[in-house]
Amino acid sequence: MTRTDLFAPAVLGHLDLPHRLVMAPLTRNRAEPDGTPTDLMAEYYAQRASAGLIIAEASTPNAVGQTYPNITAIHEPRHVEGWRRVTDAVGAAGGRMFLQLQHGGRVGHPATSGLVPVAPSPVALPETIFTPGGHQPSVVPRKLTVAHIAGTVADFASAARNALDAGFEGVEVHSANGHLLHQFLSRNTNLRTDRYGGTVENRVRFAAEVTEAVAAEIGAVRTGLRISPGNTVNGIDEGETEELYPALLERLRGLGLAYLHIGYADPDSRVFKELRGAWPGTLIGNPVLTGLTTDAVREGAERMLAGGADLVALGRPFLANPDLVVRLRRGAPLNPVRERYFMYTGGAAGYTDYPALSTQAPDAPSSDSIVAFDGARTDWR
């Protein structure tokens, strides 16, 4: 057995995993308008229970943190009850789940949440945003006061407790992809001059406080952190990337977190190598893949393990292949992603209707999935 053996067992905090393939969190917009998970979502996740670990899609810790229509939440009893149906279904199928906690910050709109979004500074998203009425111009967010920052930290901790009550094994704090924690890290969205802005030490403070509060609430062994160094999505310009993330990890490295999850990871990059060297615990790498063929996915995953990751998180491959683990083991072809059904569409199409090998000709993608393929895409996470 070598480090690049995707199918070798692994230990993650308090969990024994059957292999090293993790389902990455992917927003799919199939919740109720109020953020309650649906029975269709329970079916979707249960289909993918053969993943070593499922990190469920971003769930908001409070109402103002909502990003888009029909995303999940975890701040009301109805949300806990809905998620419990999901975790029960996955558990019955033999799976394990963490829940990603995400506050959108300026990535939000009153037409969606009923509230003006909040952010470290009143700097609007430089693009339109999808709402129940379609794309609309972004609004200038309200600047979080220091008291509101403390309240938001408390909301994350409460949401983490709710997640455990809903049957999750732990949570992932989302500090990536241009959402609130990432906005505090970044020089173009954080213009503050108080203890949460300016210097690298100050800019990492909020992400660190959220992670520390969650770990204090539910235990560090049940707490993960996701980052995506250098990611410019949602108009982000970090500045000092090579200083920011070592500073953040230095503050958190002694907590004993379950894992660090690096999105858009390149194991050959200087930043990845430095963070791997600085992080004493489990590291999950989410690679940028060259394609969605069996060979491309497996090669990308094995390259991530060879570069120092302990586990590999895959998004779109799991989206289109509920039995991805079996397909990669056998070298069987993968279903292509039907892009038109990814977000904002609702329903089972492109969600729970991807075929497994057992429901089609051996080792062959269904003709239905081929016809529905929407064309090339370069972001193959």
Side-chain angles (χ1 to χ4, degrees):
M1 181 175 66
T2 67
R3 187 182 184 88
T4 58
D5 184 358
L6 289 172
F7 308 108
V11 175
L12 178 67
H14 64 296
L15 295 175
D16 292 322
L17 306 185
H19 53 78
R20 298 174 186 270
L21 291 166
V22 174
M23 181 177 171
L26 285 166
T27 296
R28 301 302 308 277
N29 305 84
R30 261 69 172 191
E32 299 289 353
D34 68 357
T36 303
T38 61
D39 290 341
L40 186 67
M41 291 175 58
E43 179 184 357
Y44 168 77
Y45 281 113
Q47 287 176 343
R48 290 153 179 82
S50 60
L53 174 72
I54 294 174
I55 306 174
E57 63 202 80
S59 210
T60 59
N62 56 29
V64 75
Q66 184 177 3
T67 51
Y68 307 113
N70 300 100
I71 68 164
T72 64
I74 189 66
H75 53 86
E76 297 289 348
R78 62 183 180 272
H79 304 146
V80 175
E81 293 169 7
W83 275 122
R84 170 60 77 174
R85 292 192 294 273
V86 176
T87 60
D88 282 350
V90 170
R96 298 141 295 275
M97 297 187 78
F98 268 47
L99 178 65
Q100 187 183 75
L101 303 182
Q102 173 193 278
H103 189 303
R106 70 175 184 168
V107 184
H109 199 281
T112 302
S113 67
L115 301 166
V116 176
V118 296
S121 300
V123 180
L125 187 72
E127 54 199 58
T128 62
I129 187 168
F130 193 83
T131 74
H135 280 276
Q136 296 194 37
S138 300
V139 299
V140 177
R142 292 177 290 125
K143 177 183 176 180
L144 284 164
T145 66
V146 172
H148 288 148
I149 288 173
T152 303
V153 171
D155 287 343
F156 270 92
S158 177
R161 173 56 57 189
N162 287 344
L164 263 60
D165 290 344
F168 287 97
E169 297 287 351
V171 303
E172 176 178 281
V173 175
H174 193 23
S175 185
N177 294 10
H179 298 293
L180 183 63
L181 276 65
H182 202 184
Q183 291 161 27
F184 269 88
L185 293 175
S186 303
R187 65 183 178 185
N188 70 326
T189 49
N190 184 349
L191 308 181
R192 305 175 72 99
T193 57
D194 62 6
R195 63 196 297 266
Y196 290 97
T199 66
V200 165
E201 179 184 8
N202 286 348
R203 281 154 54 197
V204 305
R205 190 184 307 276
F206 178 63
E209 288 181 350
V210 168
T211 308
E212 289 163 350
V214 168
E217 180 67 28
I218 64 171
V221 73
R222 296 181 183 272
T223 304
L225 173 67
R226 190 173 202 239
I227 58 175
S228 55
N231 189 348
T232 60
V233 70
N234 285 317
I236 287 295
D237 177 12
E238 290 173 346
E240 298 92 38
T241 295
E242 294 186 359
E243 289 78 40
L244 278 168
Y245 290 97
L248 178 60
L249 298 197
E250 178 60 29
R251 176 156 173 172
L252 298 177
R253 68 192 307 271
L255 283 182
L257 296 180
Y259 64 80
L260 175 70
H261 183 181
I262 301 180
Y264 298 94
D266 178 0
D268 293 328
S269 71
R270 176 181 173 184
V271 170
F272 181 90
K273 291 177 179 179
E274 290 185 356
L275 296 183
R276 172 67 281 187
W279 187 248
T282 298
L283 189 146
I284 302 176
N286 172 217
V288 178
L289 303 173
T290 59
L292 281 181
T293 65
T294 306
D295 287 345
V297 172
R298 183 155 183 168
E299 288 169 6
E302 290 177 344
R303 177 170 165 261
M304 185 60 63
L305 292 181
D310 300 290
L311 303 169
V312 180
L314 299 172
R316 291 171 186 271
F318 269 111
L319 180 161
N321 299 276
D323 57 346
L324 178 66
V325 178
V326 171
R327 290 175 186 265
L328 293 181
R329 280 184 185 272
R330 295 184 186 178
L334 303 185
N335 295 316
V337 174
R338 286 176 278 170
E339 295 288 338
R340 68 170 68 97
Y341 298 116
F342 183 49
M343 297 173 72
Y344 310 129
T345 61
Y351 191 61
T352 56
D353 64 345
Y354 281 105
L357 288 175
S358 60
T359 62
Q360 61 190 54
D363 295 0
S366 72
S367 59
D368 199 36
S369 66
I370 295 171
V371 169
F373 182 49
D374 289 335
R377 183 181 175 93
T378 56
D379 177 11
W380 293 114
R381 286 180 299 151

